[in-house]
Amino acid sequence: MDPLDIRERIDRFRILVIGRANAGKTTILQRVCNTRENPEIYNSTGKKIDATVLMASTERGLHNIENEMVFKSNPGFIFHDSRGFEAGGESEFNKVKVFIADRSKEIKLKDQLHAIWYCIPMDEACRSFTSGELKFFSQCDTGSIPVIVLFTKFDALYDDDAYAQLKSKGASMKDAAELAPKHAEESFAIGSQLKFLYHSKEIRHPPKCHICLPNMDRDDADCGLLIERTAGTLDNEVLKQIFVSTQQSNLELCMKYAVEKSLMKRLNFAEATTSEDYEKTVAVSGAWFPHILRWTMFNFHHDLTSLIGVIVQRCGLGYSLRYVQFVTDCTCNSDVANVLGL
């Protein structure tokens, strides 16, 4: 199934976000969707929930995991929120298990749950896993749904641990501050938390992967690696195409998959790239950039030169040159740009 057909049939990617209170979940979702605005909330029937009603329910301790969070800036994502298991204990844990199981039984792919982001904040005084987190990874079998652990607020380790360790070894204040991020990442990679998460006998259902996310509250925060790691965990090629073409935070990933998954499968260098086949090839490649094509209202000539021009206008010359580089690297043919009219 090519990307054009996929986007017509399955237009949204669904993610369950789990995490303790103040784990930075909303901030990360805002970064993924390129916005500072709060999401709109819809119930399971698709009816928008008034913000005042939602606030009143929250204040009474009510929470519905079936509610859908959608950001206007990128309605292609549907997020479901779980408060974390310390808030509701056994009840919340059971709700999550039932939700995952029920979504797995959905017949239509668009109604199924596609990925789980489990947020664990690193600014807590005690950074060991909570009993609720241990319970999830030891008892909750998510089947084919990939779980990615997000170690949020990771920059807390820069000041609290890494900086102090570097200072104790004789580094100056300036050098310790500059080296702290790299030192924290290297120490964490070989630390006890990850060893326990992936190798402990208590963890029967470890995550597919993890990512450390520092400084997500900054305007220049980068969640590109989160997007790349999530895409890499998706075994279903249809879901991979939906996810990559829905996200708007990692344009280079769009380029990579457009070339590797679509362009190279369709391009036949033994024949002239003309007429209907050529236009189809370009359209399939462009389907990996739907947010860019929407911006042009699909008003561009069906050739790769025009697609590159759109990328230049929307995202800058550097990205367009990178796209050409992806094509040439993938084909190992330095003349491919000429073949494509670039």
Side-chain angles (χ1 to χ4, degrees), residues 31-34 74 77 221-229 231 240-241 243-260 285-296 307-327:
R31 287 292 169 272
V32 169
C33 294
N34 298 315
N74 193 343
F77 280 120
D222 182 15
C223 61
L225 188 57
L226 169 61
I227 299 299
E228 184 177 342
R229 293 274 176 85
K240 192 188 294 284
Q241 291 177 10
F243 178 76
V244 172
S245 59
T246 295
Q247 63 84 28
Q248 301 175 17
S249 302
N250 191 334
L251 182 60
E252 195 157 310
L253 194 65
C254 295
M255 297 178 186
K256 175 182 172 64
Y257 281 99
V259 173
E260 294 180 356
S285 298
W288 292 91
F289 306 85
H291 53 295
I292 295 177
L293 298 189
R294 284 198 299 271
W295 179 75
T296 63
L307 179 57
I308 296 299
V310 170
I311 297 175
V312 171
Q313 286 180 283
R314 183 62 171 164
C315 307
L317 179 61
Y319 275 117
S320 68
L321 294 177
R322 186 67 181 122
Y323 184 70
V324 175
Q325 189 63 48
F326 268 123
V327 176

Side-chain angles (χ1 to χ4, degrees), residues 194-235:
L194 294 187
K195 289 180 180 178
F196 182 83
L197 184 61
Y198 290 107
H199 303 297
S200 172
K201 293 181 179 179
E202 296 180 46
I203 305 298
R204 297 176 57 194
H205 307 290
K208 279 290 189 72
C209 68
H210 70 277
I211 181 171
C212 302
L213 296 176
N215 301 313
M216 284 292 106
D217 56 333
R218 293 184 180 178
D219 290 336
D220 61 348
D222 182 15
C223 61
L225 188 57
L226 169 61
I227 299 299
E228 184 177 342
R229 293 274 176 85
T230 301
T233 66
L234 299 170
D235 297 327

Side-chain angles (χ1 to χ4, degrees), residues 133-317:
E133 290 157 358
L134 294 176
K135 189 172 186 177
F136 177 85
F137 290 110
S138 62
Q139 298 183 24
C140 192
D141 185 359
T142 64
S144 62
I145 305 169
V147 179
I148 301 93
V149 169
L150 282 55
F151 290 106
T152 63
K153 303 184 179 183
F154 194 77
D155 50 291
L157 296 186
Y158 299 171
D159 297 331
D160 295 349
D161 294 343
Y163 180 83
Q165 290 175 13
L166 290 167
K167 281 284 292 175
S168 67
K169 294 179 180 179
S172 66
M173 294 176 63
K174 180 181 178 181
D175 289 344
E178 291 178 352
L179 296 173
K182 181 179 180 182
H183 183 76
E185 292 168 4
E186 292 176 347
S187 298
F188 188 76
I190 59 174
S192 59
Q193 291 101 327
L194 294 187
K195 289 180 180 178
F196 182 83
L197 184 61
Y198 290 107
H199 303 297
S200 172
K201 293 181 179 179
E202 296 180 46
I203 305 298
R204 297 176 57 194
H205 307 290
K208 279 290 189 72
C209 68
H210 70 277
I211 181 171
C212 302
L213 296 176
N215 301 313
M216 284 292 106
D217 56 333
R218 293 184 180 178
D219 290 336
D220 61 348
D222 182 15
C223 61
L225 188 57
L226 169 61
I227 299 299
E228 184 177 342
R229 293 274 176 85
T230 301
T233 66
L234 299 170
D235 297 327
N236 186 309
E237 287 298 316
V238 172
L239 288 181
K240 192 188 294 284
Q241 291 177 10
I242 286 295
F243 178 76
V244 172
S245 59
T246 295
Q247 63 84 28
Q248 301 175 17
S249 302
N250 191 334
L251 182 60
E252 195 157 310
L253 194 65
C254 295
M255 297 178 186
K256 175 182 172 64
Y257 281 99
V259 173
E260 294 180 356
K261 301 294 185 180
S262 294
L263 183 60
M264 299 316 305
K265 289 182 179 180
R266 299 190 60 87
L267 196 58
N268 186 347
F269 291 101
E271 300 177 1
T273 52
T274 59
S275 66
E276 186 175 339
D277 287 340
Y278 184 82
E279 291 190 3
K280 180 68 172 178
T281 298
V282 175
V284 167
S285 298
W288 292 91
F289 306 85
H291 53 295
I292 295 177
L293 298 189
R294 284 198 299 271
W295 179 75
T296 63
M297 301 299 290
F298 296 93
N299 186 24
F300 69 98
H301 298 291
H302 284 279
D303 58 68
L304 286 172
T305 305
S306 295
L307 179 57
I308 296 299
V310 170
I311 297 175
V312 171
Q313 286 180 283
R314 183 62 171 164
C315 307
L317 179 61

